[in-house]
Amino acid sequence: MKSSTLIFLVIVIIILGGIYMFNKKNNPMIQTTQTTQNGSVKIIPISHATAVINWGDKNIYIDPIGGAEVFAGQPSADIILLTEIHSDHLNADTLAQILGGALLITPQAVKDKLPTNLAGKAQVLNNGETKTFDEFTITAIPMYNLPESKEAFHIKGRGNGYVVEKDGFRVYIAGDTAGIPEMRALKNIDIALV
């Protein structure tokens, strides 16, 4: 049952995200909410890889780009997850505008691309590492192209996907990746953003 729910949610998110991206001006903001044992998790797609997760009383921003104005009406970020170095996932100007007191989590390659003032605020989480922040456990999952090569646009070890967990509820943020073995090995994922 959990597997079929996960597959259904992934398909819905992909379809709704695509509709939103291609017809952004005419569509209302599309949201998905999942009820957990201790509240709800709401996914708010902003554009491409950018999304906001309202999880209980905390707010997680993923790959914020597009300027502060695209986050108008959203609560301030408590955690910001950056997945990779490319400009459709990393925009230092947007990040500087919205960071405030949020916890900033990045892979090392992303931290290396940030201006000094932002890099000093970043906490590095590399592939395979797990850390607990507040009530969330965050694990960095590899994200890369297949077949693997040194010339690939996304090479293994440089960027992160993430599994964010609270009270046994698990959200997977894939980042720019293929259907890699590390993704296929994940278990008990309640919501997947791919």
Side-chain angles (χ1 to χ4, degrees):
M1 177 72 174
K2 203 165 200 158
S3 253
S4 62
T5 302
L6 172 63
I7 291 168
F8 173 75
L9 285 172
V10 168
I11 291 169
V12 167
I13 289 169
I14 290 169
I15 291 170
L16 293 179
I19 290 169
Y20 179 74
M21 289 236 353
F22 290 110
N23 197 9
K24 194 166 151 177
K25 291 183 180 177
N26 298 324
N27 282 327
M29 188 171 289
I30 301 163
Q31 303 175 2
T32 301
T33 303
Q34 179 88 19
T35 303
T36 73
Q37 292 177 353
N38 298 313
S40 65
V41 177
K42 182 190 292 185
I43 309 294
I44 304 163
I46 304 296
S47 68
H48 184 55
T50 304
V52 174
I53 302 174
N54 302 136
W55 195 328
D57 64 347
K58 299 293 183 186
N59 302 290
I60 302 169
Y61 283 25
I62 303 161
D63 289 340
I65 66 167
E69 62 275 6
V70 301
F71 299 95
Q74 298 299 328
S76 298
D78 296 295
I79 298 172
I80 297 175
L81 302 173
L82 298 179
T83 61
E84 66 149 320
I85 62 172
H86 296 134
S87 62
D88 57 340
H89 296 263
L90 171 62
N91 182 285
D93 292 336
T94 299
L95 192 57
Q97 293 169 15
I98 65 162
L99 181 60
L103 174 65
L104 176 60
I105 300 170
T106 75
Q108 184 65 53
V110 169
K111 181 178 180 178
D112 293 344
K113 292 277 185 182
L114 292 172
T116 306
N117 63 322
L118 294 173
K121 297 177 181 180
Q123 292 199 30
V124 171
L125 196 61
N126 289 309
N127 290 178
E129 293 182 334
T130 299
K131 291 185 182 176
T132 300
F133 304 97
D134 257 344
E135 64 259 50
F136 295 96
T137 300
I138 301 174
T139 302
I141 306 297
M143 51 152 277
Y144 55 94
N145 294 130
L146 291 175
E148 286 186 69
S149 76
K150 291 180 182 177
E151 295 78 33
F153 202 57
H154 304 97
I155 57 172
K156 188 173 184 176
R158 187 181 68 204
N160 285 344
Y162 296 97
V163 172
V164 182
E165 182 173 353
K166 177 183 172 190
D167 300 327
F169 193 88
R170 293 164 49 92
V171 175
Y172 172 51
I173 299 135
D176 266 351
T177 190
I180 58 175
E182 294 89 344
M183 176 196 294
R184 295 174 185 276
L186 292 172
K187 304 286 185 212
N188 302 317
I189 299 297
D190 296 289
I191 297 175
L193 305 177
V194 293

